[in-house]
Amino acid sequence: MSKRSGILEFAVLGLLRESPMHGYELRKRLNTSLGVFRAFSYGTLYPCLKMLVAQGWLIEESALDGDPLATPLAGRRAKIVYRLTAAGKEHFEELLANSGPDAWEDEHFAARFAFFGQTSKDVRMRVLEGRRSRLEERLERMRGSLARTRERLDDYTLELQRHGMESVEREVRWLNELIETERAGRVERPLSERDD
């Protein structure tokens, strides 16, 4: 299984843990809530869903199963709703508990972070600290590269490199704040939910 399909599996199970959904809804939530999946297609999602059904982690239900009076429009199939099974919930819990180096990578971290509300504090701390460490290493490499090549680069390339370093520095500061909040045991609401 590729890393991308592994994180897609994780995200699908996590979203279906919140509530059952049909494929269109699921794709929309993956794109809007977990922006790391903006560039994937139904051709990626449906094979993942079929694999999760085959593993016994999801079940497929007709949207009509919940409403006996509903009938599909002429010539249209009923929508398939995907629901997490008990085994799927248990598998997702195992995935949540895994906090190895993959969880620190760009694409994986974003999806993992989206489910931090369902993740234990010790796992959140390992992921946050691992991510910070990974970014600090990246920042050192970027600084070293810039120092070695500064004279050979044009102004625009220098600006692009400076922008990249500022982005990584900003994320390290953000991670430091999150880690301090976790250590202090405070639970702060996201800025979007705070009263002005």
Side-chain angles (χ1 to χ4, degrees):
M1 178 183 305
S2 74
K3 286 184 178 187
R4 181 134 172 108
S5 63
I7 200 62
L8 178 59
E9 171 189 317
F10 174 81
V12 165
L13 292 173
L15 288 173
L16 291 175
R17 183 178 185 211
E18 295 170 6
S19 68
M21 289 180 231
H22 55 78
Y24 176 79
E25 259 183 301
L26 193 53
R27 182 173 184 257
K28 186 176 174 183
R29 288 282 311 276
L30 287 165
N31 286 335
T32 59
S33 304
L34 309 174
V36 297
F37 293 103
R38 282 188 199 112
F40 88 104
S41 66
Y42 289 111
T44 304
L45 176 60
Y46 284 106
C48 177
L49 290 169
K50 295 297 181 193
M51 185 272 300
L52 295 172
V53 168
Q55 294 288 333
W57 296 328
L58 299 181
I59 57 170
E60 296 176 324
E61 299 173 334
S62 167
L64 301 178
D65 291 346
D67 184 0
L69 300 177
T71 57
L73 297 174
R76 290 187 148 178
R77 295 182 324 167
K79 287 184 179 173
I80 300 296
V81 174
Y82 296 91
R83 181 180 306 277
L84 197 62
T85 64
K89 184 177 179 185
E90 186 177 314
H91 180 64
F92 181 68
E93 297 292 331
E94 291 169 6
L95 294 174
L96 277 177
N98 180 4
S99 60
D102 278 353
W104 310 335
E105 298 300 331
D106 294 343
E107 191 172 89
H108 288 246
F109 176 74
R112 290 299 299 250
F113 191 81
F115 296 102
F116 262 25
Q118 302 174 40
T119 306
S120 67
K121 181 179 179 174
D122 62 316
V123 171
R124 286 193 309 262
M125 285 297 290
R126 280 195 303 272
V127 172
L128 290 171
E129 289 172 343
R131 175 69 175 169
R132 179 179 62 185
S133 174
R134 183 66 42 94
L135 290 178
E136 287 170 341
E137 291 168 6
R138 183 182 302 167
L139 197 52
E140 280 306 306
R141 286 191 308 271
M142 292 170 85
R143 287 179 180 143
S145 174
L146 186 58
R148 285 188 307 276
T149 60
R150 178 181 299 270
E151 295 78 33
R152 294 181 298 206
L153 301 176
D154 64 59
D155 290 342
Y156 297 103
T157 305
L158 279 171
E159 265 319 298
L160 183 61
Q161 290 208 356
R162 207 176 350 260
H163 172 69
M165 284 180 23
E166 288 173 2
S167 296
V168 174
E169 289 167 342
R170 191 171 29 257
E171 187 172 346
V172 169
R173 284 191 303 274
W174 175 69
L175 289 166
N176 285 334
E177 291 171 10
L178 289 170
I179 290 167
E180 288 308 310
T181 300
E182 287 286 335
R183 285 186 181 143
R186 292 187 312 257
V187 178
E188 294 186 11
R189 290 183 301 145
L191 290 174
S192 62
E193 294 179 11
R194 295 182 190 173
D195 296 329
D196 290 314

